[in-house]
Amino acid sequence: MSVLPPDLDAAGFAAFLDDLRAVVGPDWVWSSDEDMHAYRDSFSPVWNTEEERHASAAVAPADVEQVSAVVRVARKHRVPLFPISTGKNFGYGGPSPNVNGSVVIDLKRMNRVLEVNEARAFALVEPGVSYFDLYRAIEERGLKLMLDCPDPGWGSPVGNSLERGVGYTMPHFRDHFGAHCGMEVVLPDGEVMRTGMGAMPGAQTWQEYPYGFGPDPSGLFAQGNFGIVTKMGFRLLPLPEYYRTCLITVPKRRDFVKLVEHVNYLNDSGLIGEVEYGSPLRAKMADPQVMALITKAGGVSDAELDAAAEAAGLPCWQVELQFLGPERATYENWTFARDRILGDIPGAQAIEGEHFALPASEHQLDTPQQPWPSAIKRRRSLGVPSLGEWKIVRDDGHIGFFPVLPRDGEAVFEMQRVLGDAMKAFPTLPPFFNALTTPLLWHTHTFQMVFAPSIKHDDPEHNAISHAAMKRCVEVAAEHGWGDYRASPIYQDAVADTYSFNNHALRRFHEQLKDAIDPDGIVAPGRGGIWPRRFRA
Amino acid sequence: MIRRDMLKWGALVPALAGVPGMARAQAGEGLDVLLLDTRFGEGPLDDMGAARVLTFAGDVTKVWYEHLDRAWRQPGFVVGGITGADALFVLETLARQQGRKVVARKALEVAPLAGDIAPVSWVIAPAHPSVLA
Ligand SMILES: Cc1cc2nc3c(=O)[nH]c(=O)nc-3n(C[C@H](O)[C@H](O)[C@H](O)COP(=O)(O)OP(=O)(O)OC[C@H]3O[C@@H](n4cnc5c(N)ncnc54)[C@H](O)[C@@H]3O)c2cc1C
């Protein structure tokens, strides 16, 4: 499926590729169908349809000088580039671009861990460094630092954080963009810029003070298209001494509201790590009566769910808490959490779970011994990269819609009902939003819920349903003030469109900036729903 | 050179898939590592002629992190496997990043696991000039 860059004919494309080869060497430019297969989004719901976005070529520079030179070549030929770090953005577009015919600038060769500083708890890495690479660098040097990784560890701190990806340890580290500190960027004219203290020659604090002086533009490079990031610093968590877990259950549906308030308090006070909300009643979902109840149009009442819980002899909700820190502190934090919640919610119960000193042994990582069926994934909770999570991928992959909602139990009930009702139009999909769907506390201070319908390469009808459901979810959610946090290129315009306050003032501002620094759309035109003049016309 | 290797390993795949008798005993010849996904049965863990056999149960993390990632940083190194298609997807994606590709694959006629995970036999060999032996 060969495509050409916009406004370029075959001869122009060949000349462009020759110029690229002159920069990076002939072995590091690809354009054959076979090679470009790797740059398709294998999780695409529009796989093999007209809507699928294809890159025309890929180029892999070795260093920042080559990145600049590639950008200058692209500028000369007016070819859009699409930067990727490790290109594992599955569920959100994989390595595929917004604009057909874009050239992927694949930064996998820039894979040096430039610095890991134990005493000051930071790392500085290039884009091709994966979480595994950084973990290995820490492990091999025996440094007492903890990573915060996404579920699959093969992505990169740079690519993941530029997508505002998330992890599973302490609140301020789970928000990966929030935990970055300082970046180096190649701008759309090929110029190299550093943010924060990196802008001051001789400063030793690039990874310690993110702002420097004056406006900090680093936010523009996350989910944006204002430059190609070639280095990025990250704050790391000093390896905690101890890990401790517990389970708290509450009996009634409405107890969830108070439970959330307590967990918010614990989270915001820095006393707990990532939490896993759940409902013990999910164990009964195979029972048709329970299923009918939790997917009932208009939602369930408190009385109905309470009756179902009572009949099953189960509490309505549970939360698994995780504590990281000095052993005594984790103990005090756990008893504090227990006393606070049990003292306020009648019928609440607490069970003490596993606890041990860190670093965990392989046995502790691989064989959790919780006295309850646990949703905690041990490796990710302890910042140990893994690929085991791949087992949740079914069919040929999935697409993801993770609406942001208030950290409030009532808001959770409302989203369960509203999106549950809206998704009844797609009865072949699993009921992602039902009366037992619980929120995720991934980002530091907000809830999200999961909608992730699968895709199948050989079933276009199924994919069309997932695709239509996805678009509908975005619309209905926005009507209630719930926005998607991250989207694949085929949905980015629709999602950006929902952030429309004051006649799309935010988008107009982004467009003004884009027109000023990249009117031809050399860097990822369309990413984040931001189109330069050339493509708006 | 690359083409010759591809033909060689391509021919191996049906043998990896075939299992019985002599064919099985020699199936892994020339492989630096043979990976077996024990979700499809423990089986007799002979080496089928491969230099080394590594096993895992669906999750490739350890074999990749402890063995393949290091080996794939050097030129050469041919890996064969009989694994779930899901594990192959992960390995293939990792291999590409390190200049390698699946040069042959064959779906095996064995009942899929729950979740429709089908077994497949395959060979991953160096492809990019930077990692050719
Ligand atoms: C089963 C499963 C579980 C997952 N779990 C998680 C999870 O727990 N947390 C999570 O966050 N994600 C998760 N994901 C999504 C995704 O796999 C990860 O976020 C992954 O880390 C993203 O890929 P990457 O790191 O290779 O980034 P890349 O694909 O390299 O980059 C992502 C995007 O950022 C931009 N970009 C990348 N590099 C640059 C650069 N240098 N300059 C400018 N722009 C750039 C590009 O637009 C690119 O498309 C999951 C996916 C699956 C399938």
Side-chain angles (χ1 to χ4, degrees), chain A residues 329-414:
Chain A
T330 62
Y331 179 77
E332 291 301 330
N333 289 344
W334 131 245
T335 52
F336 174 80
R338 179 196 61 198
D339 296 349
R340 184 182 163 99
I341 298 173
L342 269 53
D344 190 42
I345 304 178
Q349 294 191 346
I351 306 178
E352 190 172 2
E354 267 188 285
H355 53 95
F356 47 80
L358 296 177
S361 67
E362 283 295 305
H363 183 74
Q364 285 163 331
L365 290 173
D366 287 340
T367 41
Q369 309 279 326
Q370 293 291 30
W372 63 83
S374 175
I376 293 173
K377 289 164 191 154
R378 183 61 60 78
R379 283 183 183 261
R380 73 182 197 187
S381 288
L382 296 178
V384 182
S386 163
L387 293 164
E389 204 36 37
W390 214 254
K391 63 180 176 296
I392 67 165
V393 175
R394 284 295 168 256
D395 299 332
D396 288 310
H398 58 247
I399 41 180
F401 171 67
F402 291 83
V404 172
L405 70 155
R407 244 179 346 155
D408 170 309
E410 299 290 355
V412 170
F413 295 154
E414 194 190 353

Side-chain angles (χ1 to χ4, degrees), chain A residues 187-249:
Chain A
L187 297 172
D189 60 1
E191 191 88 71
V192 181
M193 178 182 87
R194 289 185 176 179
T195 66
M197 297 308 293
M200 174 179 272
Q204 302 294 309
T205 42
W206 194 16
Q207 275 60 66
E208 295 186 309
Y209 184 61
Y211 307 122
F213 185 75
D216 171 27
S218 48
L220 292 172
F221 304 105
Q223 295 186 0
N225 51 12
F226 296 97
I228 299 175
V229 176
T230 47
K231 288 184 186 67
M232 213 161 157
F234 293 93
R235 304 296 316 160
L236 300 174
L237 180 65
L239 182 71
E241 206 179 85
Y242 208 78
Y243 173 68
R244 185 181 292 276
T245 55
C246 77
L247 176 77
I248 293 187
T249 62

Side-chain angles (χ1 to χ4, degrees), chain A residues 27-28 34 38 42 86 88 108 132-133 135-136 139-140 154 362 366 379 386-388 390, chain B residues 59-62 64-65 69-70 73 86 89-90 93-94 96-97 101 115 117 128-130:
Chain A
D27 292 339
W28 299 106
E34 192 194 353
S42 66
T86 39
K88 307 290 190 300
K108 65 180 175 185
F132 280 109
D133 295 332
Y135 182 77
R136 203 190 279 290
E139 203 188 24
E140 283 179 352
W154 59 7
E362 283 295 305
D366 287 340
R379 283 183 183 261
S386 163
L387 293 164
W390 214 254
Chain B
D59 177 358
V60 304
T61 307
K62 266 190 197 149
W64 175 76
Y65 184 73
D69 182 35
R70 289 176 197 277
R73 286 168 195 264
D86 53 347
F89 175 82
V90 175
T93 307
L94 290 162
R96 254 192 235 124
Q97 185 96 3
K101 67 179 172 195
I117 297 163
H128 190 266
S130 61

Side-chain angles (χ1 to χ4, degrees), chain A residues 260-307:
Chain A
V260 166
E261 285 170 8
H262 287 296
V263 174
N264 288 350
Y265 177 88
L266 299 169
N267 178 77
D268 296 357
S269 308
L271 303 183
I272 52 172
E274 198 249 343
V275 304
E276 296 283 344
Y277 285 106
S279 170
L281 270 178
R282 290 181 69 87
K284 301 283 170 198
M285 276 172 79
D287 175 340
Q289 268 185 317
V290 173
M291 187 53 127
L293 176 70
I294 64 173
T295 55
K296 200 177 120 186
V300 293
S301 67
D302 289 351
E304 284 169 325
L305 202 69
D306 291 349

